[in-house]
Amino acid sequence: MFWFLMAAMVAVVAAVALAVLGSGDGSGGPVTGGLPEAEPDRAHDPLPVDRPLTAADVVAVRLPLAARGYRMAETDDVLDRLAAELAERDARIAALEAELGRVPGPPPPAGPPPPAGPAV
């Protein structure tokens, strides 16, 4: 009985070793590079790089989970606050630009006044 269990253990270890060290593609051929490369946990960064962030960009972001994870409630609170502050900032900038558009004429040039010429 002892020898039967030993033979079974050797067979199991050999099967696991072949499965781990095999090519992994099912062909049973020799190892051609080990394990395949791990897929990145973030395929691409969803934040735009060609324009400033907006509140909608922040709301759409979903952070990836790591093995230990993160405190989702706290992270969501921070992202909600950031989105609200970005929306407030964008509204303030739009209001100031609209107010600037209502100012008549160009602003006076900065610098010393032009020299006075001879009186005629």
Side-chain angles (χ1 to χ4, degrees), residues 24-61:
D25 60 2
S27 67
V31 177
T32 59
L35 297 175
E37 292 296 321
E39 294 290 327
D41 61 346
R42 289 181 78 172
H44 74 288
D45 191 6
L47 296 176
V49 294
D50 58 341
R51 63 177 170 78
L53 293 178
T54 64
D57 295 329
V58 175
V59 170
V61 169

Side-chain angles (χ1 to χ4, degrees), residues 2-44:
F2 172 75
W3 293 109
F4 175 74
L5 290 176
M6 286 299 285
M9 281 182 33
V10 168
V12 168
V13 169
V16 169
L18 286 175
V20 170
L21 298 177
S23 63
D25 60 2
S27 67
V31 177
T32 59
L35 297 175
E37 292 296 321
E39 294 290 327
D41 61 346
R42 289 181 78 172
H44 74 288

